[in-house]
Amino acid sequence: MTTVSASDELAQAAFTFLQEQLEDAQRACITSSFQAEDVAVVHMARQIRPEIPVLFLETGYHFPETLTYRDRIAAEWNLNLVNVEPEITVAEQESKFGILNQTAPDRCCGLRKVEPLFRALGGYTTWVTGLRREQSKTRANLQPREFFTLPTGHILAKLSPLAEWTTRDVWRYAEQNNIPLLPLYDKGYTSIGCAPCTSLPFDPEDARSGRWSGRKVECGIHLQAK
């Protein structure tokens, strides 16, 4: 029995889509930053596949609140949490290259997010995300089901069941299903990543305007979809 509110047609449609897509998926995973939309998708996916691996990018730069919240949700929901780590530690990276999140944020994201995730995704055929079109212009053409090609040539089915959702839809779903959200939202953050590259939004019309001091809007992962 699903706990998705049947009175919400949007939520029911997303759940049904995900259920149909995961039914025959051989090796599926879901990535989660433990922001609101990601937690909503995890909430749906675990009802369909309770043991689905939940991949979290452990960059070494996260807010303490994010890690505490991750551990809380993972424990309460009995998630199959997989912490995906870079090949080198923060200390090793800073010793070798300096503070890349200040001098070369693209390279920092590449080392600590993009490359580790792409290595991890090589073991799967289906990838579930919490991406939404509303989040940024770079995601405006997002489709619920796309194909994603890794640098190795490995192709995955990439699922974004919340593609059409607004922020209000996400928060409504959380409220209807009694899902606690990351406490950083209460401090005014609207898009949350690594602490050094996340600030309060400076544009009230752009939830991601607080990311990377406005220098970019993507870490690089989702710009390579095919």
Side-chain angles (χ1 to χ4, degrees), residues 1 16 74 90-91 93 95 108 126 132 142 163-164 168 176 189 192 196 201 203 205:
M1 180 71 69
T16 299
V90 167
Q93 177 176 303
S95 175
C108 188
T126 299
R132 298 184 294 111
L142 178 72
E164 300 179 0
R168 181 175 296 180
Q176 288 181 329
Y189 293 96
I192 303 161
D203 181 355
E205 301 300 320

Short mmCIF file of all heavy atoms in Angstrom, two decimals, residues 1 16 74 90-91 93 95 108 126 132 142 163-164 168 176 189 192 196 201 203 205:
data_model
loop_
_atom_site.label_atom_id
_atom_site.label_comp_id
_atom_site.label_asym_id
_atom_site.label_seq_id
_atom_site.Cartn_x
_atom_site.Cartn_y
_atom_site.Cartn_z
N MET A 1 0.85 -1.19 0.00
CA MET A 1 0.00 0.00 0.00
C MET A 1 0.88 1.24 0.00
O MET A 1 1.73 1.41 0.86
CB MET A 1 -0.91 -0.01 1.24
CG MET A 1 -1.83 1.21 1.32
SD MET A 1 -3.14 1.20 0.09
CE MET A 1 -4.13 -0.17 0.73
N THR A 16 3.08 6.62 -10.46
CA THR A 16 2.74 5.59 -11.45
C THR A 16 3.81 5.50 -12.52
O THR A 16 4.21 4.41 -12.93
CB THR A 16 1.38 5.90 -12.09
OG1 THR A 16 0.37 5.91 -11.07
CG2 THR A 16 1.02 4.85 -13.13
N ALA A 74 18.03 8.39 6.39
CA ALA A 74 18.51 7.05 6.04
C ALA A 74 18.14 6.04 7.11
O ALA A 74 17.75 4.90 6.80
CB ALA A 74 20.01 7.07 5.82
N VAL A 90 39.65 15.75 0.94
CA VAL A 90 39.69 17.20 0.87
C VAL A 90 41.10 17.71 1.19
O VAL A 90 41.64 18.59 0.50
CB VAL A 90 38.67 17.83 1.85
CG1 VAL A 90 38.93 19.33 2.02
CG2 VAL A 90 37.25 17.60 1.34
N ALA A 91 41.70 17.15 2.24
CA ALA A 91 43.04 17.59 2.64
C ALA A 91 44.05 17.34 1.53
O ALA A 91 44.92 18.19 1.26
CB ALA A 91 43.46 16.86 3.91
N GLN A 93 43.43 17.08 -1.69
CA GLN A 93 43.14 17.97 -2.82
C GLN A 93 43.63 19.39 -2.55
O GLN A 93 44.25 20.01 -3.42
CB GLN A 93 41.64 17.99 -3.09
CG GLN A 93 41.22 18.94 -4.20
CD GLN A 93 39.76 18.87 -4.51
OE1 GLN A 93 39.23 17.80 -4.84
NE2 GLN A 93 39.04 20.00 -4.42
N SER A 95 45.94 20.34 -0.49
CA SER A 95 47.41 20.35 -0.42
C SER A 95 48.02 20.37 -1.81
O SER A 95 49.03 21.03 -2.05
CB SER A 95 47.91 19.13 0.35
OG SER A 95 49.32 19.05 0.33
N CYS A 108 36.85 21.67 -9.12
CA CYS A 108 36.49 21.09 -7.82
C CYS A 108 35.26 20.20 -7.97
O CYS A 108 35.24 19.07 -7.47
CB CYS A 108 36.22 22.21 -6.82
SG CYS A 108 35.98 21.63 -5.12
N THR A 126 19.63 2.07 -14.87
CA THR A 126 18.57 3.07 -14.70
C THR A 126 18.94 3.99 -13.56
O THR A 126 19.33 3.53 -12.48
CB THR A 126 17.21 2.41 -14.42
OG1 THR A 126 16.87 1.56 -15.52
CG2 THR A 126 16.12 3.45 -14.23
N ARG A 132 14.03 18.99 -11.81
CA ARG A 132 12.80 19.65 -12.23
C ARG A 132 13.13 20.75 -13.24
O ARG A 132 14.17 21.40 -13.13
CB ARG A 132 12.08 20.27 -11.02
CG ARG A 132 11.64 19.26 -9.98
CD ARG A 132 10.85 19.90 -8.84
NE ARG A 132 11.65 20.82 -8.04
CZ ARG A 132 11.50 22.13 -8.02
NH1 ARG A 132 10.58 22.72 -8.79
NH2 ARG A 132 12.27 22.90 -7.25
N LEU A 142 14.07 19.46 -19.80
CA LEU A 142 14.16 18.15 -19.15
C LEU A 142 12.94 17.29 -19.45
O LEU A 142 11.81 17.76 -19.39
CB LEU A 142 14.27 18.36 -17.63
CG LEU A 142 14.33 17.12 -16.75
CD1 LEU A 142 15.68 16.42 -16.92
CD2 LEU A 142 14.11 17.51 -15.29
N ALA A 163 9.79 16.13 -13.20
CA ALA A 163 10.22 17.11 -14.19
C ALA A 163 9.28 18.31 -14.28
O ALA A 163 9.73 19.45 -14.39
CB ALA A 163 10.36 16.46 -15.57
N GLU A 164 7.99 18.08 -14.22
CA GLU A 164 7.00 19.15 -14.40
C GLU A 164 6.63 19.84 -13.09
O GLU A 164 5.88 20.82 -13.12
CB GLU A 164 5.74 18.59 -15.04
CG GLU A 164 5.97 17.97 -16.42
CD GLU A 164 4.70 17.40 -17.01
OE1 GLU A 164 3.64 17.49 -16.35
OE2 GLU A 164 4.76 16.87 -18.12
N ARG A 168 6.34 24.61 -5.21
CA ARG A 168 5.13 24.48 -4.39
C ARG A 168 4.61 23.05 -4.40
O ARG A 168 4.15 22.53 -3.38
CB ARG A 168 4.04 25.44 -4.92
CG ARG A 168 2.75 25.39 -4.13
CD ARG A 168 1.77 26.45 -4.61
NE ARG A 168 2.28 27.79 -4.39
CZ ARG A 168 1.61 28.90 -4.72
NH1 ARG A 168 0.43 28.80 -5.32
NH2 ARG A 168 2.14 30.07 -4.46
N GLN A 176 1.87 16.68 2.68
CA GLN A 176 0.83 15.65 2.63
C GLN A 176 1.33 14.32 3.16
O GLN A 176 0.56 13.52 3.71
CB GLN A 176 0.33 15.48 1.20
CG GLN A 176 -0.53 16.62 0.69
CD GLN A 176 -1.01 16.38 -0.72
OE1 GLN A 176 -0.34 15.72 -1.53
NE2 GLN A 176 -2.19 16.90 -1.04
N TYR A 189 17.80 29.26 2.78
CA TYR A 189 18.42 28.65 1.61
C TYR A 189 17.33 28.04 0.72
O TYR A 189 16.36 27.47 1.21
CB TYR A 189 19.41 27.56 2.03
CG TYR A 189 20.63 28.09 2.74
CD1 TYR A 189 20.69 28.10 4.14
CD2 TYR A 189 21.72 28.58 2.03
CE1 TYR A 189 21.81 28.60 4.80
CE2 TYR A 189 22.85 29.06 2.68
CZ TYR A 189 22.88 29.07 4.06
OH TYR A 189 23.99 29.56 4.71
N ILE A 192 20.63 23.88 -2.14
CA ILE A 192 21.69 23.57 -1.16
C ILE A 192 22.67 22.55 -1.71
O ILE A 192 22.28 21.44 -2.09
CB ILE A 192 21.06 23.06 0.15
CG1 ILE A 192 20.07 24.10 0.69
CG2 ILE A 192 22.14 22.75 1.18
CD1 ILE A 192 19.07 23.54 1.68
N PRO A 196 30.85 25.71 0.99
CA PRO A 196 31.62 26.86 0.48
C PRO A 196 31.00 27.50 -0.76
O PRO A 196 31.29 28.66 -1.05
CB PRO A 196 32.99 26.25 0.15
CG PRO A 196 33.07 25.01 0.94
CD PRO A 196 31.67 24.48 0.99
N PRO A 201 20.02 32.94 -1.56
CA PRO A 201 19.77 33.43 -2.92
C PRO A 201 19.76 34.96 -2.98
O PRO A 201 19.20 35.61 -2.10
CB PRO A 201 18.40 32.85 -3.26
CG PRO A 201 17.74 32.65 -1.93
CD PRO A 201 18.84 32.25 -1.00
N ASP A 203 18.69 36.46 -5.83
CA ASP A 203 17.57 36.75 -6.73
C ASP A 203 16.37 35.95 -6.25
O ASP A 203 16.36 34.72 -6.37
CB ASP A 203 17.94 36.37 -8.16
CG ASP A 203 16.81 36.66 -9.15
OD1 ASP A 203 15.71 37.06 -8.72
OD2 ASP A 203 17.03 36.46 -10.37
N GLU A 205 13.69 35.41 -7.55
CA GLU A 205 13.04 34.70 -8.65
C GLU A 205 13.85 33.51 -9.14
O GLU A 205 13.40 32.77 -10.02
CB GLU A 205 12.80 35.67 -9.81
CG GLU A 205 11.94 36.87 -9.46
CD GLU A 205 10.56 36.47 -8.98
OE1 GLU A 205 9.98 35.53 -9.55
OE2 GLU A 205 10.06 37.10 -8.02
#
